[in-house]
Amino acid sequence: MKMKIYLFGELSLMSSIPFTRKIALVDCNSFYVSCERLFNPKIRKKPVIVLSNNDGCIISRSNEAKALGIKMGEPYFKAKDIIIKNKVEVFSSNYSLYGDLSRRVMRTLKKFGSPIEIYSIDEAFLDLSNFPDNQIESIGKEIKATVLQWTGIPTSIGIAQTKTLSKIANHIAKKKLSGVANLIGVENIDPILEKIDINDVWGVGKQLTKFYKKNGIYNAKQLKNKSNTWIKKNSNVLSSRTALELRGISCIHLETTTTKRKSCVVSRSFGKRVETFCELKEAVVNYCLNASEKIRSDSLVAKTITVFIRTSPFQKNFGYYSNSKTIDFAISTNNSIEIVKTAVFILENIFKNGYQYQKAGVMLTGLSNANQKTNLFSSEKDEKISALMRSMDNTNFKYGRSALSLASAGVQKKWNMRRNHSSKIDTANFYNLPKIHA
Ligand SMILES: [Mg+2]
């Protein structure tokens, strides 16, 4: 009874204090470029760009590269003149490096103990509502400094009452020397919102932008100050939430549940067309090794595997073929040997001669916790296999990815992606450790 009264007292006390939600958006600056720079201090002050798969388009630019007028998403060949003239450093994308550094950044953010939503490879929302208003800016600066010190990745942090406003705060933070912008406690937000184009507001896509502009809404301030009746009458639920969020009323909540992955996909487009079963098998086996290592590092096991292959949809004169097949494992597993064996079996089933394959992939689904595996049939043999997998992962961690592998993975890898500018940095390689410059 005593307990109940105490709780009641606490609750009424809490509701008498006005509660401000404080959402921080942490965004890594030019993330892929920053990853490359981390291992290559010589390019820290130079213009740098990173290219998409098969060196197609520009997907990350340093500030110096932006200043040269190089556009986001521009095809590489179109920007070649500027690149050569200004000695821009060019890198092919190295997703295993970026994925690894992303995990390190997120792990660092989790250390602060606040609820977190990992929004993309280089962005996360943190709920800092538990900190007092007057400390919030210094907390932001501390988070930024810690991430930089622990991972070497520079970030910008925007803090505000809602997710939508924290995105806007982040835009502002990007331009500030401190890299942190705090909108909590700002009395009149209108002058800030006036400078934000409507299409730069989070959740406002191409179609909505057109619609808003037709109705005289060109910036965030104008959307915020539109009447509820107008918004409700004219657009869907999602955009009315945006308007409320701009007013500081939080209605898009953090999605923090289950940070663990539900599936693991490894697929690539080939650098050149692949025709033989043997080459395709090599690729699929490598994807399996990659995927099984990933799920082992998260202590997960997979219930199901899917293998898919396809030719290019654009090469019409060679005929289009695409197929996939899914198989359940007898018992959920993360054993590379088992996974490879099943994948090769599937490939034998779906492979057809006489086609030029452009893409293949492996997907592990039905992931669950490896420790929770209640397996009546587990035996001494299973123990030996998991010991073997552990030593394989440890060796590869020390001596570089694929130091230890299966014979079927092949050694030549002719099918590999075109990556003419790869930095070849592998975070699983001990000799690639970045040096700390204090
Ligand atoms: Mg970013």
Side-chain angles (χ1 to χ4, degrees):
M1 200 59 198
K2 230 180 182 179
M3 191 67 180
K4 251 185 189 168
I5 293 163
Y6 174 72
L7 271 175
F8 189 73
E10 276 257 298
L11 275 177
S12 61
L13 183 71
M14 271 171 67
S15 57
S16 66
I17 302 169
F19 177 75
T20 1
R21 202 163 274 292
K22 298 171 201 92
I23 308 290
L25 175 65
V26 183
D27 181 35
C28 300
N29 300 344
S30 314
F31 182 54
Y32 300 163
V33 165
S34 298
C35 292
E36 297 291 350
R37 277 181 167 168
L38 183 59
F39 294 90
N40 195 346
K42 277 183 212 143
I43 60 167
R44 291 231 167 122
K45 300 255 150 63
K46 289 187 184 169
V48 184
I49 59 168
V50 175
L51 305 175
S52 62
N53 276 349
N54 293 318
D55 296 344
C57 298
I58 295 155
I59 50 168
S60 184
R61 305 159 298 157
S62 70
N63 284 336
E64 297 81 1
K66 286 176 195 169
L68 291 171
I70 296 173
K71 298 268 174 324
M72 185 70 177
E74 194 172 18
Y76 174 44
F77 72 88
K78 274 196 177 166
K80 244 180 183 162
D81 285 347
I82 312 180
I83 289 167
I84 293 165
K85 208 175 128 203
N86 296 282
K87 299 198 179 98
V88 176
E89 300 280 340
V90 180
F91 290 89
S92 302
S93 39
N94 180 348
Y95 287 107
S96 62
L97 170 69
Y98 311 150
D100 198 21
L101 285 167
S102 169
R103 278 189 289 277
R104 291 183 200 190
V105 169
M106 300 308 169
R107 220 181 294 145
T108 307
L109 293 177
K110 282 179 194 161
K111 290 267 193 266
F112 287 87
S114 295
I116 179 171
E117 174 187 341
I118 297 170
Y119 184 65
S120 71
I121 190 165
D122 72 331
E123 281 171 288
F125 290 104
L126 292 177
D127 188 338
L128 304 177
S129 303
N130 284 334
F131 294 99
D133 288 15
N134 57 1
Q135 282 177 24
I136 207 72
E137 186 146 351
S138 57
I139 296 288
K141 284 178 182 160
E142 194 186 323
I143 293 172
K144 183 183 156 65
T146 310
V147 172
L148 185 65
Q149 199 188 2
W150 291 12
T151 69
I153 299 293
T155 55
S156 299
I157 302 184
I159 309 165
Q161 279 165 276
T162 67
K163 275 174 140 180
T164 307
L165 286 174
S166 75
K167 276 267 182 184
I168 289 172
N170 200 282
H171 274 289
I172 301 165
K174 284 248 146 54
K175 289 173 199 140
K176 281 177 74 175
L177 202 63
S178 69
V180 178
N182 172 30
L183 299 183
I184 302 286
V186 174
E187 291 268 304
N188 182 10
I189 207 166
D190 282 6
I192 295 170
L193 297 186
E194 199 168 15
K195 288 186 202 132
I196 307 291
D197 283 346
I198 193 69
N199 61 311
D200 285 335
V201 174
W202 190 48
V204 178
K206 264 191 192 154
Q207 289 305 314
L208 263 180
T209 300
K210 258 193 219 162
F211 172 78
Y212 283 141
K213 284 188 175 168
K214 225 189 268 168
N215 287 279
I217 301 172
Y218 298 95
N219 60 48
K221 179 190 144 190
Q222 288 168 326
L223 178 60
K224 176 194 160 228
N225 293 335
K226 268 279 169 190
S227 77
N228 279 343
T229 16
W230 184 89
I231 290 163
K232 271 200 189 130
K233 216 171 88 188
N234 286 292
S235 44
N236 59 23
V237 179
L238 208 73
S239 59
S240 64
R241 286 203 304 185
T242 304
L244 286 176
E245 286 240 324
L246 288 172
R247 292 175 202 168
I249 301 158
S250 172
C251 27
I252 306 171
H253 298 295
L254 257 64
E255 287 168 32
T256 53
T257 41
T258 63
T259 46
K260 284 209 170 174
R261 50 173 107 219
K262 292 193 180 75
S263 67
C264 175
V265 187
V266 179
S267 78
R268 303 268 187 306
S269 296
F270 303 129
K272 69 173 194 69
R273 304 280 178 259
V274 166
E275 282 177 66
T276 68
F277 176 78
C278 223
E279 276 182 284
L280 205 56
K281 187 179 102 182
E282 253 186 57
V284 166
V285 168
N286 273 281
Y287 301 162
C288 284
L289 292 177
N290 210 328
S292 46
E293 188 192 313
K294 265 189 200 158
I295 65 167
R296 280 201 298 276
S297 76
D298 284 344
S299 308
L300 296 168
V301 285
K303 187 168 174 275
T304 308
I305 179 170
T306 303
V307 176
F308 61 90
I309 51 174
R310 69 162 170 78
T311 61
S312 164
F314 303 109
Q315 267 199 327
K316 294 223 170 67
N317 34 349
F318 290 100
Y320 181 67
Y321 175 68
S322 137
N323 205 348
S324 72
K325 196 177 160 72
T326 303
I327 285 186
D328 278 354
F329 295 111
I331 297 161
S332 290
T333 185
N334 58 19
N335 169 359
S336 296
I337 301 165
E338 185 73 30
I339 290 169
V340 165
K341 219 167 64 186
T342 314
V344 171
F345 174 77
I346 296 176
L347 189 64
E348 282 166 349
N349 268 274
I350 59 176
F351 176 80
K352 266 195 191 171
N353 247 324
Y355 287 100
Q356 298 197 329
Y357 292 94
Q358 188 225 8
K359 192 170 187 170
V362 169
M363 183 159 67
L364 298 175
T365 45
L367 299 184
S368 61
N369 233 315
N371 322 325
Q372 282 168 8
K373 186 176 65 168
T374 44
N375 178 5
L376 292 171
F377 308 102
S378 90
S379 62
E380 208 179 310
K381 191 179 149 219
D382 290 339
E383 294 293 309
K384 274 186 191 154
I385 285 171
S386 60
L388 173 68
M389 291 300 121
R390 259 199 313 278
S391 67
M392 197 158 115
D393 293 343
N394 286 339
T395 310
N396 287 345
F397 182 78
K398 268 188 212 143
Y399 300 105
R401 203 155 274 148
S402 49
L404 261 190
S405 184
L406 302 184
S408 47
V411 274
Q412 292 205 324
K413 300 185 182 167
K414 279 191 223 133
W415 41 268
N416 239 341
M417 255 202 296
R418 206 174 323 139
R419 286 167 70 179
N420 294 335
H421 306 276
S422 177
S423 56
K424 301 194 179 66
I425 297 293
D426 186 345
T427 42
N429 186 338
F430 183 78
Y431 297 99
N432 282 149
L433 280 181
K435 292 182 184 70
I436 304 287
H437 300 271

